[in-house]
Amino acid sequence: GIQVEQSPPDLILQEGANSTLRCNFSDSVNNLQWFHQNPWGQLINLFYIPSGTKQNGRLSATTVATERYSLLYISSSQTTDSGVYFCAVEGRGGGSNYKLTFGKGTLLTVNP
Amino acid sequence: SQTIHQWPATLVQPVGSPLSLECTVEGTSNPNLYWYRQAAGRGLQLLFYSVGIGQISSEVPQNLSASRPQDRQFILSSKKLLLSDSGFYLCAGKKGAYNEQFFGPGTRLTVL
């Protein structure tokens, strides 16, 4: 099956700093999503981005499907940005199942 | 937009007891539904998915089973819980090919 690798596994920032999280995947995808898991465990949808660039406030994401990677940018980080960020992909050829394969996540800690 | 409801939020059960976790979907019809487990650490593992009423596919052999008695209801069950069944269980739904997968708030299960 498709493989998803995220880097870095852990990241510690001071409030106000910028960061880039990376997601590499091993095959062509129909769908790519970025999630933020908050301290209560809820997975919050950040971006649905199988290709191209999107922005939402201080967050933006870019997926280069032909090179099989996606980047999540966090600017002017805040303590509330802390948590685990997951990249998940849906490989092609899966029929109507639309299953997501998750990376292992990046644990972001933003210190005040 | 669709909303995924799960209950209970937390559950502590003795080894050997039965389990029933319920997930319901609001705001869409005929969604694909998924059960994931997140063990200690960060990875999410897909356990079951369903493309329609009564249609269940299992991703990994285990002590658990799933059922979909109604279009917007997905149930995760066990006849006898094991210690290794402890974890954070997340239900998710997706409507159609080019849409996001959305997650419920999760159930944290501790088996003692």
Side-chain angles (χ1 to χ4, degrees), chain A residues 46-79:
Chain A
L46 296 178
F47 294 101
Y48 168 74
I49 187 166
S51 64
T53 297
K54 290 186 177 180
Q55 181 156 7
N56 184 4
R58 294 182 297 104
L59 273 60
S60 63
T62 295
T63 297
V64 184
T66 53
E67 298 187 21
R68 299 181 184 169
Y69 74 88
S70 183
L71 302 174
L72 177 68
Y73 305 97
I74 305 175
S75 64
S76 304
S77 58
Q78 301 175 357
T79 56

Side-chain angles (χ1 to χ4, degrees), chain A residues 4-5 7 20-27 29 32 34 49-52 61-73 87 89:
Chain A
V4 182
E5 293 185 1
S7 60
T20 301
L21 282 57
R22 186 176 180 103
C23 172
N24 292 332
F25 42 96
S26 62
D27 207 345
V29 298
L32 187 146
W34 282 98
I49 187 166
S51 64
T62 295
T63 297
V64 184
T66 53
E67 298 187 21
R68 299 181 184 169
Y69 74 88
S70 183
L71 302 174
L72 177 68
Y73 305 97
C87 169
V89 303

